[in-house]
Amino acid sequence: MGLLSTLLGIIGFGIGIPFGLVVGFFLFIYSKPKPVKEPITRPLYELDSSALLDLLPDIPLWVKCPDYERVDWLNKFVTDMWPYLDKAVCARIRSVTEPIFAEYIGKFQIEAIEFDNLSLGTIPPEIHGLKVSESNENELVLEPAIRWAGNPNIVLVLKLLFFRITVQLVDLQMFMAPRITLKPLVPTLPCFATVVVSLLDKPEVDFGMNLLGGDIMAIPGLYQFIQKTIKRQVASLYLWPQTLEIPILDPATVAVRKPVGILHVKVVRAQKLLKKDILGTSDPYVKLNLTGDGLPEKKTTIKKRNLNPEWNEEFKLIVKDPQSQVLQLQVFDWDKVGTHDRLGMQFVPLKLLTPYETKEFKLDLLKHTNVNIDPQDKKQRGKIVVELTYAPFREDSIKLDGPHDGYGRKESGLDRPSDSEVFGGAGLLSVLVQGAEDVEGERHSNPYAVVLFRGEKKKTKLTIQQLV
């Protein structure tokens, strides 16, 4: 009996191996990708409590975070444009991958690599919220939260000797949070010169891959390996601070002005100001800014009940074009209630300054800079005294080897330099405060960040408390 069972086992093993090889060969050669079916959707009121709990992580960010806005109009636009975007993106994929595939033709007995079918499906990506970040720079920052559970039909054919191998990508799901920066903003349509894209976090990508009629992603260990590989490759290319820059306008046709120097302003004093308060005095302060920079105005402190105030306060303004920019000075009377009255104003063209030389200006305050507006107004409004020094950047600090996105500048030395060193080697440090994570404490109302550099303190704007 034992001898018989052994013989039968040997015979079965000998017959099973050829039979399995033949069946596997025919499956390998003649297996075809499965057609992609439309997903079944159900309204929320038909789901039970357990299914609703499973959906909580997928709730749009505009529901959970007040910083994100609901953009149904944008999703409607993407939905209507998706059939055309599908064809455009697929054509772009073909044009990019063709030279890559061509490099492998003739190697490893590969005769051809081509797409048998390439379609992103009928389900477009959905934007679950859009955050618009404020910035002091001449740019617009958008942070959309994009989710895509699509039904693409992507079939790749590999012709190897006499074999025809088909690989099908199915059940693609993707979540990413890109940062899209439109900069610089220019007065030429489409009103921005470059689109800069980066990822704030590693994207979440999930998909299946059919080979020989089965999902090879179900092989133990393969799924995790591919997930890590995709995240690592994408992160190395586009995870912040790495960026993808897409030029929109020709730099030759767009006058993009970059910082070329620093204007040091010392507001010294004012004399014989107008009396605006009931008690025959004023509470003056000074606003100053450069025309054409779009940055917030600088302000001095308020001198209560003083018509001859002494400030002696220093400010630094970024200069982009010393030949055309003008320093604007405005003196206001502070009021606790209502608007602040302007006591007078004056302009100082930067082209009057000599680099590295401090020049004092004693200026008569005017009601308007254009005397033709009110030629009969001869009222004396007082004087203001300021000291100005223009310190241009060194040529080697302007001509950077790397990309001009603010990351290439370096500044050596840890000790605070003297005034002569500051004027002789002016530089600009750009700091972008991204956010904060894992802050101590349970609740924080109106948090902000403070940046200290060489004795100077800068504070970010207050952030409204977020409760999820």
Side-chain angles (χ1 to χ4, degrees):
M1 190 68 180
L3 179 61
L4 180 61
S5 60
T6 303
L7 292 175
L8 292 176
I10 295 174
I11 295 173
F13 182 76
I15 297 176
I17 290 180
F19 180 77
L21 292 175
V22 172
V23 173
F25 174 79
F26 279 95
L27 289 175
F28 186 77
I29 298 300
Y30 298 104
S31 61
K32 296 182 179 180
K34 299 178 181 179
V36 178
K37 299 180 180 180
E38 292 288 337
I40 300 176
T41 59
R42 297 171 57 190
L44 290 178
Y45 62 82
E46 294 183 1
L47 303 179
D48 54 16
S49 57
S50 61
L52 291 175
L53 289 175
D54 294 336
L55 291 177
L56 284 180
D58 297 325
I59 291 180
L61 284 177
W62 60 265
V63 178
K64 300 184 288 185
C65 300
D67 286 347
Y68 283 83
E69 299 180 5
R70 184 175 181 177
V71 285
D72 290 342
W73 63 272
L74 187 55
N75 286 320
K76 181 65 167 58
F77 173 80
V78 174
T79 301
D80 293 341
M81 290 292 295
W82 184 244
Y84 308 97
L85 290 173
D86 178 19
K87 295 180 181 179
V89 172
C90 290
R92 180 62 176 172
I93 293 175
R94 289 182 184 273
S95 63
V96 171
T97 55
E98 280 181 0
I100 299 177
F101 293 161
E103 296 179 0
Y104 293 93
I105 303 300
K107 298 180 180 179
F108 311 108
Q109 304 298 322
I110 297 177
E111 296 181 358
I113 305 176
E114 56 187 12
F115 286 103
D116 186 55
N117 200 335
L118 180 58
S119 172
L120 299 183
T122 59
I123 302 177
E126 185 176 357
I127 301 175
H128 279 216
L130 177 64
K131 179 181 178 181
V132 181
S133 302
E134 297 182 3
S135 173
N136 291 334
E137 300 296 332
N138 190 23
E139 62 186 21
L140 181 63
V141 181
L142 308 175
E143 296 180 6
I146 302 176
R147 290 181 181 271
W148 185 30
N151 57 340
N153 187 14
I154 302 176
V155 180
L156 185 67
V157 176
L158 174 65
K159 295 181 180 179
L160 181 64
L161 293 178
F162 303 103
F163 304 106
R164 187 175 186 272
I165 305 173
T166 59
V167 181
Q168 182 182 23
L169 183 69
V170 295
D171 299 332
L172 177 63
Q173 299 185 36
M174 184 182 304
F175 171 73
M176 63 177 63
R179 166 172 287 168
I180 304 173
T181 304
L182 311 179
K183 69 175 187 179
L185 302 180
V186 295
T188 303
L189 290 176
C191 298
F192 54 89
T194 307
V195 178
V196 181
V197 182
S198 62
L199 296 177
L200 300 180
D201 200 356
K202 294 181 180 180
E204 299 292 337
V205 181
D206 189 11
F207 59 89
M209 188 176 296
N210 288 341
L211 180 65
L212 304 180
D215 189 358
I216 63 173
M217 299 297 288
I219 298 176
L222 181 61
Y223 176 79
Q224 290 79 5
F225 172 76
I226 293 181
Q227 285 283 318
K228 292 180 180 179
T229 302
I230 292 176
K231 290 184 179 181
R232 183 169 60 251
Q233 292 297 326
V234 174
S236 64
L237 295 175
Y238 306 122
L239 187 63
W240 190 92
Q242 303 294 332
T243 60
L244 171 65
E245 294 194 9
I246 306 173
I248 303 299
L249 297 177
D250 186 359
T253 62
V254 181
V256 180
R257 295 183 298 177
K258 303 175 185 177
V260 296
I262 299 293
L263 177 65
H264 298 260
V265 182
K266 182 178 181 180
V267 181
V268 183
R269 71 182 73 89
Q271 300 171 344
K272 299 179 181 180
L273 298 177
L274 293 180
K275 303 175 183 179
K276 286 292 184 177
D277 293 343
I278 299 177
L279 301 179
T281 184
S282 294
D283 304 323
Y285 69 93
V286 181
K287 284 184 178 181
L288 59 153
N289 69 290
L290 286 175
T291 58
D293 62 0
L295 299 177
E297 297 172 316
K298 306 283 188 178
K299 295 181 183 179
T300 66
T301 56
I302 301 171
K303 301 296 182 180
K304 296 293 187 68
R305 297 180 293 278
N306 196 336
L307 298 180
N308 299 282
E310 294 269 353
W311 283 288
N312 291 312
E313 298 181 12
E314 298 182 1
F315 303 90
K316 297 177 183 178
L317 303 177
I318 300 175
V319 179
K320 295 183 178 179
D321 187 359
Q323 295 301 317
S324 64
Q325 283 188 287
V326 176
L327 174 65
Q328 178 175 280
L329 300 165
Q330 300 181 84
V331 183
F332 286 86
D333 172 41
W334 179 83
D335 288 323
K336 189 173 183 180
V337 180
T339 58
H340 301 177
D341 298 323
R342 187 167 66 186
L343 302 178
M345 64 182 303
Q346 258 296 1
F347 282 168
V348 180
L350 298 191
K351 61 183 179 181
L352 300 178
L353 302 177
T354 302
Y356 310 120
E357 292 185 8
T358 302
K359 189 173 182 179
E360 183 180 82
F361 291 85
K362 296 181 180 179
L363 307 170
D364 292 324
L365 294 175
L366 305 175
K367 183 177 181 181
H368 304 285
T369 56
N370 188 355
V371 295
N372 296 325
I373 295 179
D374 193 359
Q376 303 299 324
D377 186 9
K378 303 296 184 180
K379 184 186 297 185
Q380 295 294 325
R381 297 178 174 272
K383 296 178 179 293
I384 184 171
V385 180
V386 294
E387 294 179 0
L388 305 180
T389 306
Y390 170 55
F393 295 147
R394 296 189 303 269
E395 289 296 327
D396 57 351
S397 67
I398 298 177
K399 298 177 181 179
L400 301 176
D401 295 333
H404 47 76
D405 56 1
Y407 301 116
R409 296 195 181 274
K410 295 182 180 179
E411 189 169 348
S412 60
L414 299 177
D415 299 329
R416 186 178 181 85
S418 63
D419 291 342
S420 60
E421 290 174 338
V422 171
F423 294 157
L428 178 65
L429 174 65
S430 298
V431 179
L432 177 62
V433 180
Q434 292 286 339
E437 296 180 356
D438 300 328
V439 182
E440 294 183 0
E442 296 182 356
R443 294 171 179 260
H444 301 277
S445 59
N446 302 329
Y448 62 90
V450 176
V451 179
L452 298 174
F453 179 72
R454 290 186 172 178
E456 294 190 25
K457 178 189 292 187
K458 297 293 183 180
K459 185 172 69 173
T460 64
K461 295 181 180 180
L462 298 179
T463 303
I464 300 176
Q465 180 183 6
Q466 298 183 7
L467 298 177
V468 180

